[in-house]
Amino acid sequence: MGIRVAVAGASGYAGGELLRLLAGHPELDLVAATAHTQAGQPVAAVHPQLAGLDLVLRATDPATLADADLVFLALPHGESAALAAALPPTVKVVDLGADHRLRDADAWARYYGGPHAGAWTYGLPELPGQRAAIAAATRVASTGCYAVATTLALAPLIAAGAVRPTDVVVVAASGTSGAGRAAKAHLLGSEVMGDLSPYKVGAHQHVPEIKQATGATSVSFTPVLAPMPRGILATVTAVPTGDADPREVLKRAYADAPFVHLLPEGAWPHTAATAGSNSCHLQATLDVDSGRVLVVSAIDNLGKGAAGQAVQNANLMLGLPETTGLSVFGVAP
């Protein structure tokens, strides 16, 4: 028997990706998967890509999850806190939702609304000191998808003093799976195909998380819905403070990070190259006209942006190598 794990919210896109990763994980035994409206359905009926995974979705109940050593919460924002509080303190928890990411209660109220559940250990291992903090934690809040793509591009530059923490501008395109699996008219194929559309302009909920994780003090963030199922491409620009080479800063910061890859000079990230992986691809340069530092970041929003990141955190919490059960390589074509 391996380490017993369970997934709450297993019927969604992130939950399905979690099931796929856990089914192939050499050290973890998937003992329960829960859902709301899909409870009672075989996993393969909800996620056809998981044919052969002999598991039936059960109702989301603390008693169903309490027998696991670690529980993943892949629930809508605002639903994780109550369920986590009902689990025994001996059960480790990784929350893929936003409930426990923000330290600032005012920021939570402004961007999410409702009561603030308190902050857990932040689940981005590549930040300084976070691997050890995650390994020692019993409750970890995984990152938002846009937040991880932006933070990996920006945080080392601010930490090194290479760019100003003010006047950070981010434009990021995401695949439709980032909006969840619920039926919505604006996500229909006929609406999305052949179209790019901005949304939540100037008020996206990942802004306070990006500021908290990177040390930025002002961020202008424009998210764009792209006609693809998965992936994020973020373009991050900031004002340099001197003549530091941003590529060298990123190279030093991620020298020992197995999932972050600074591409060779002149090669630019592609979302397709990260699909199915837990990797982030980065490239940096100076804009020849404005002089701003420019970093492009690509991830799979369901991988490093959600399920892969959650498994990476769980590996650390369980004393396993952080790469266990995760691929650094994408799937192509």
Side-chain angles (χ1 to χ4, degrees):
M1 290 289 292
I3 300 167
R4 296 166 61 85
V5 299
V7 177
S11 61
Y13 288 133
E17 185 72 352
L18 263 176
L19 296 181
R20 183 182 75 86
L21 294 174
L22 296 175
H25 196 291
E27 303 292 340
L28 305 182
D29 284 342
L30 180 60
V31 296
T34 74
H36 291 290
T37 59
Q38 299 283 8
Q41 293 289 321
V43 163
V46 179
H47 299 293
Q49 74 275 22
L50 301 179
L53 182 58
D54 187 17
L55 201 65
V56 174
L57 295 172
R58 300 161 68 181
T60 302
D61 182 273
T64 302
L65 304 167
D67 192 40
D69 299 305
L70 184 144
V71 173
F72 296 94
L73 303 179
L75 300 170
H77 301 319
E79 295 187 13
S80 296
L83 182 57
L87 293 173
T90 53
V91 176
K92 298 178 187 290
V93 181
V94 178
D95 185 9
L96 281 72
D99 291 29
H100 301 282
R101 292 173 189 159
L102 299 182
R103 296 191 294 265
D104 187 339
D106 290 338
W108 172 268
R110 181 181 182 187
Y111 283 88
Y112 291 95
H116 182 234
W120 289 355
T121 299
Y122 189 60
L124 185 54
E126 289 80 11
L127 290 176
Q130 283 307 105
R131 278 189 180 85
I134 293 165
T138 58
R139 298 287 191 272
V140 169
S142 275
T143 64
C145 53
Y146 282 124
V148 65
T150 302
T151 298
L152 291 174
L154 180 62
L157 298 172
I158 291 178
V163 299
R164 296 178 188 171
T166 58
D167 192 22
V168 174
V169 178
V170 183
V171 178
S174 174
T176 55
S177 60
R181 201 172 187 180
K184 300 172 185 176
H186 73 283
L187 297 177
L188 292 170
S190 296
E191 303 292 332
V192 173
M193 288 186 296
D195 188 37
L196 290 170
S197 57
Y199 63 100
K200 294 185 179 179
V201 178
H204 194 276
Q205 66 270 21
H206 286 177
V207 167
E209 182 184 350
I210 291 168
K211 292 170 68 176
Q212 175 181 287
T214 63
T217 56
S218 65
V219 176
S220 174
F221 179 61
T222 303
V224 178
L225 183 67
M228 58 187 185
R230 58 201 294 169
I232 286 178
L233 189 75
T235 300
V236 182
T237 74
V239 179
T241 58
D243 57 1
D245 183 347
R247 280 182 49 83
E248 286 302 314
V249 173
L250 294 173
K251 183 177 180 181
R252 288 194 301 270
Y254 298 125
D256 298 319
F259 294 115
V260 183
H261 308 284
L262 180 65
L263 300 183
E265 195 161 1
W268 290 94
H270 296 254
T271 55
T274 62
S277 79
N278 195 50
S279 288
C280 174
H281 292 181
L282 297 173
Q283 184 57 275
T285 191
L286 291 176
D287 188 290
V288 296
D289 184 67
S290 69
R292 293 176 69 95
V293 171
L294 188 153
V295 185
V296 176
S297 170
I299 63 168
D300 183 338
N301 63 295
L302 295 179
K304 187 63 172 162
Q309 178 91 291
V311 172
Q312 185 182 357
N313 287 325
N315 284 338
L316 290 167
M317 297 167 72
L318 296 169
L320 302 172
E322 66 184 283
T323 56
T324 309
L326 295 169
S327 177
V328 299
F329 303 119
V331 178

